[in-house]
Amino acid sequence: MSEPENNKQNRHKKRMQARKEIVDAGVAKALEERGIVIVYTGDGKGKTTAAMGTVTRALGYGYNVVVGQFIKGVWECGEKNLLSQLPPEQYPLQWFEMGTDFTWETQDFEADKAAAQAVWEKLKAALADDSVYLVVMDELTYALNYKWLDKAEVIEAIHNRPREQSVIITGRGAKPYLLDIADTVTEMKSHKHAFEHGISARKGVEW
Amino acid sequence: MSEPENNKQNRHKKRMQARKEIVDAGVAKALEERGIVIVYTGDGKGKTTAAMGTVTRALGYGYNVVVGQFIKGVWECGEKNLLSQLPPEQYPLQWFEMGTDFTWETQDFEADKAAAQAVWEKLKAALADDSVYLVVMDELTYALNYKWLDKAEVIEAIHNRPREQSVIITGRGAKPYLLDIADTVTEMKSHKHAFEHGISARKGVEW
């Protein structure tokens, strides 16, 4: 091996050793084993998609998953096509949605609220069920911000859930009371969006 | 309906009408139909997970998907468990990985580079194949930033890909030359992470 090549190897090795120490130290400190609350918020693409990636992940281990979607009622979406066709005995998934049209199409507060409440009742039951490993509340922030759901009731149900259960909440505009109960919060921050540049939403990528 | 209730309905209706106008106007302008390049970067949780959510979504329509993973060589992960067990004639997925241990464990630049190059060759072939609808390059930013791959070659292959093909690139520290070729860029910005508060990475949620 030439001299510069050797230096490069050594530099790389040093950098990787330093990184290993950091990673190992982190793992050594992270000892608490319990379910977590994740909030995906912000104006960028990837919130619902990350939640659905996690649904796929949890089902991959055969864990019991419950998904409730607020707002995105009657849209076709690829991940639901696939996940709802899986054999339920191997991949136990329940999926609830409002079943109404997009909120800005229906323009009827009471109908939307009733539909959101129906989804919430299913999620509340899941949050009290210790056989459920992962509960996804997709676009929950809208349901709360539109006052379809009672904030205190939602927070209490999440707080009192079984210790091993994880929860994912998605949607723009998550308020501090949601961030406070979360263990992990990622803001999906949009720097660029194809849609704003005249490119239509892509089947199989954006829905 | 009582007077205040009625007002509330009207207010909601007005707000929803305004939103509908914005949404409709956006849809009317977004007419270009083609594959897009998405970059998920930033220090927060959700980059790989969002990519995997999109893999599930695209497969849900039966689209041909190719995934290449840089770095995450030998980790078990739930989504791969599930997706690799699907009937390939219905859900055509190819998955390539470096097959080495975590980079900071091996500490061998040449071995890592060779493993990354092998994954890249598969991805390069996919980027030239118009039967492939979605190409995921998970943790590509590391492979580029560590100089395992030739930047110009990667950019050129993405630029010259089939018009209908979409690409997702994930990883921290995406450089401007990657952001420039992207149509959509989301920064996953960490506000909080369970791991930093002593909670260990959760099976079925974080891997």
Side-chain angles (χ1 to χ4, degrees):
Chain A
M1 195 179 282
S2 66
E3 196 50 44
E5 269 302 300
N6 209 347
N7 283 343
K8 202 164 142 194
Q9 277 274 31
N10 284 340
R11 247 196 346 266
H12 180 76
K13 193 163 177 168
K14 254 190 199 149
R15 195 161 60 167
M16 290 298 111
Q17 272 170 345
R19 183 150 180 199
K20 178 169 159 55
E21 278 163 28
I22 293 166
V23 171
D24 288 350
V27 171
K29 270 194 290 190
L31 293 174
E32 195 182 344
E33 289 278 354
R34 63 167 173 85
I36 59 172
V37 177
I38 299 173
V39 172
Y40 290 132
T41 190
D43 62 351
K45 180 177 160 46
K47 300 181 291 292
T48 296
T49 330
M52 294 309 152
T54 315
V55 169
T56 307
R57 179 172 290 174
L59 288 174
Y61 295 107
Y63 288 131
N64 200 349
V65 178
V66 175
V67 175
Q69 292 193 298
F70 296 95
I71 290 206
K72 290 184 174 169
V74 290
W75 253 28
E76 187 188 11
C77 70
E79 62 272 29
K80 197 179 63 180
N81 288 357
L82 188 153
L83 297 170
S84 62
Q85 281 173 23
L86 298 172
E89 61 287 357
Q90 191 180 355
Y91 302 113
L93 169 67
Q94 291 182 80
W95 194 295
F96 303 102
E97 49 197 35
M98 287 173 56
T100 50
D101 209 335
F102 266 97
T103 309
W104 49 92
E105 297 284 352
T106 59
Q107 303 170 6
D108 179 341
F109 179 80
E110 290 304 328
D112 290 343
K113 184 177 172 178
Q117 281 287 341
V119 172
W120 167 242
E121 289 303 318
K122 300 293 186 179
L123 292 176
K124 200 168 71 173
L127 288 165
D129 179 351
D130 65 9
S131 78
V132 176
Y133 191 80
L134 174 66
V135 178
V136 173
M137 309 202 251
D138 188 36
E139 310 286 14
L140 178 72
T141 57
Y142 293 96
L144 290 166
N145 296 347
Y146 287 157
K147 303 197 191 313
W148 293 335
L149 307 182
D150 182 69
K151 184 174 82 177
E153 188 186 347
V154 171
I155 296 299
E156 195 191 342
I158 296 171
H159 185 76
N160 294 334
R161 76 190 192 286
R163 183 182 164 83
E164 300 299 317
Q165 189 180 83
S166 291
V167 170
I168 300 179
I169 294 166
T170 79
R172 290 185 185 208
K175 295 278 164 41
Y177 62 83
L178 279 182
L179 306 183
D180 286 347
I181 53 158
D183 301 291
T184 295
V185 174
T186 302
E187 177 194 356
M188 272 64 168
K189 201 168 151 38
S190 178
H191 286 262
K192 233 188 211 186
H193 200 299
F195 188 71
E196 289 156 11
H197 301 284
I199 304 167
S200 66
R202 192 78 181 150
K203 181 176 176 179
V205 177
E206 285 159 298
W207 48 284
Chain B
M1 197 180 281
S2 66
E3 197 50 43
E5 270 302 301
N6 209 346
N7 283 343
K8 201 164 145 195
Q9 277 274 31
N10 284 338
R11 244 191 354 262
H12 181 76
K13 192 162 179 170
K14 257 192 197 147
R15 195 162 59 165
M16 290 298 112
Q17 273 170 343
R19 184 151 179 200
K20 176 169 160 58
E21 277 163 29
I22 293 166
V23 171
D24 288 349
V27 171
K29 270 194 291 190
L31 294 174
E32 196 182 344
E33 289 278 355
R34 63 168 175 84
I36 59 174
V37 176
I38 299 173
V39 172
Y40 289 131
T41 189
D43 62 352
K45 180 177 159 47
K47 299 182 290 294
T48 296
T49 331
M52 294 308 153
T54 314
V55 169
T56 307
R57 179 172 288 174
L59 288 174
Y61 295 108
Y63 289 131
N64 199 351
V65 178
V66 175
V67 175
Q69 292 192 297
F70 297 95
I71 291 209
K72 291 185 173 168
V74 290
W75 253 28
E76 186 187 14
C77 71
E79 63 272 27
K80 196 178 63 181
N81 288 357
L82 188 153
L83 296 170
S84 62
Q85 280 172 25
L86 297 172
E89 60 288 356
Q90 193 180 354
Y91 302 113
L93 170 66
Q94 291 183 81
W95 194 297
F96 303 103
E97 49 196 34
M98 286 172 57
T100 50
D101 209 335
F102 265 98
T103 309
W104 51 93
E105 298 284 352
T106 59
Q107 304 170 4
D108 180 341
F109 178 80
E110 291 303 327
D112 290 343
K113 183 178 173 180
Q117 281 286 341
V119 172
W120 167 243
E121 290 302 320
K122 300 292 186 180
L123 293 176
K124 199 167 72 170
L127 288 165
D129 178 349
D130 65 9
S131 78
V132 176
Y133 191 81
L134 176 66
V135 178
V136 173
M137 308 202 251
D138 189 35
E139 311 284 15
L140 177 71
T141 57
Y142 293 96
L144 290 166
N145 296 347
Y146 287 157
K147 303 196 191 313
W148 293 336
L149 307 183
D150 181 69
K151 182 174 83 178
E153 188 187 347
V154 171
I155 295 300
E156 195 191 343
I158 296 170
H159 185 76
N160 294 333
R161 77 192 191 284
R163 183 182 164 81
E164 299 300 316
Q165 188 181 83
S166 291
V167 169
I168 301 179
I169 294 165
T170 78
R172 289 184 185 210
K175 296 279 165 42
Y177 63 83
L178 279 182
L179 307 183
D180 286 347
I181 54 159
D183 301 291
T184 295
V185 175
T186 302
E187 178 193 354
M188 272 67 168
K189 200 168 152 41
S190 178
H191 287 262
K192 231 188 211 185
H193 200 300
F195 188 71
E196 290 156 10
H197 302 284
I199 304 167
S200 66
R202 192 79 182 149
K203 181 175 176 180
V205 177
E206 285 158 298
W207 47 286

